[in-house]
Amino acid sequence: MRWLRFLMPVASVAALTIVAILPWGLPTVDRFVLPLLPVVAIYYWTLDRDAWLPEWSIFLAGLLLDVLTQGPLGYWALVYLVAYVIAVYCSRLEVDTTAQRLALFTGAIITVTLFAWLAASAYFIAFLDAEPYVRGAGVAVLAAALITLLRRVARSAGTPARPVRLTRGD
């Protein structure tokens, strides 16, 4: 079972990359949401100090996305590595509450999205329409908020009630 915990970070990033590659029939404005799915996994596993997520697997996930979607070679590999660097810096910050964690994730997604937009604009030597990028970041943040809420509810539902000690009186 330990090997499953060992491979879960790499397997989840690879699986989400495959999900991002598949043709879902989304409108052009909403297509930027899918490549952000591996970014969420990269962020999550990088913050987990016990997880094993090597940089080469992140690079290969981005390169796979580039090759199979016929995009500019190295674009998503670079974006995913930037997401990893941002997550490493976020992992060094002390956050205590769920709201702080969500705010940190929101800042990370906004930074990664801004970098992705600037890199794509530099590639095409023109400022691209920012709406797909903003929508993708918004959906990623909303999904993270929903997942955080569901995890919190699941954890609170799984905790046992306060133990009751029944004793017989004298």
Side-chain angles (χ1 to χ4, degrees):
M1 196 63 160
R2 188 171 180 89
W3 60 271
L4 183 63
R5 172 81 174 131
F6 184 70
L7 291 178
M8 186 58 78
V10 175
S12 64
V13 170
L16 288 173
T17 303
I18 298 299
V19 167
I21 291 169
L22 295 175
W24 293 100
L26 292 175
T28 305
V29 185
D30 296 331
R31 286 188 190 152
F32 190 72
V33 173
L34 294 174
L36 284 180
L37 294 175
V39 171
V40 174
I42 290 167
Y43 182 84
Y44 174 77
W45 290 117
T46 304
L47 264 59
D48 185 359
R49 298 191 191 279
D50 296 331
W52 179 72
L53 185 64
E55 295 84 4
W56 59 264
S57 67
I58 296 168
F59 178 77
L60 286 179
L63 199 60
L64 181 70
L65 188 68
D66 290 335
V67 168
L68 294 181
T69 59
Q70 298 175 355
L73 196 60
Y75 172 74
W76 283 111
L78 180 63
V79 170
Y80 287 174
L81 287 174
V82 167
Y84 175 73
V85 169
I86 291 170
V88 167
Y89 282 116
C90 288
S91 71
R92 295 180 180 168
L93 299 175
E94 294 293 326
V95 290
D96 298 323
T97 65
T98 304
Q100 288 175 339
R101 282 187 209 101
L102 196 56
L104 193 62
F105 175 75
T106 302
I109 284 293
I110 289 171
T111 306
V112 169
T113 306
L114 180 65
F115 176 79
W117 176 72
L118 287 173
S121 295
Y123 178 77
F124 289 107
I125 312 173
F127 285 112
L128 300 179
D129 184 20
E131 184 180 357
Y133 296 91
V134 172
R135 272 194 195 193
V139 169
V141 168
L142 287 176
L146 180 65
I147 290 169
T148 303
L149 178 68
L150 290 175
R151 285 183 69 201
R152 190 172 203 188
V153 168
R155 283 186 180 170
S156 66
T159 57
R162 195 176 92 199
V164 177
R165 185 174 169 180
L166 298 175
T167 58
R168 197 170 185 154
D170 292 323

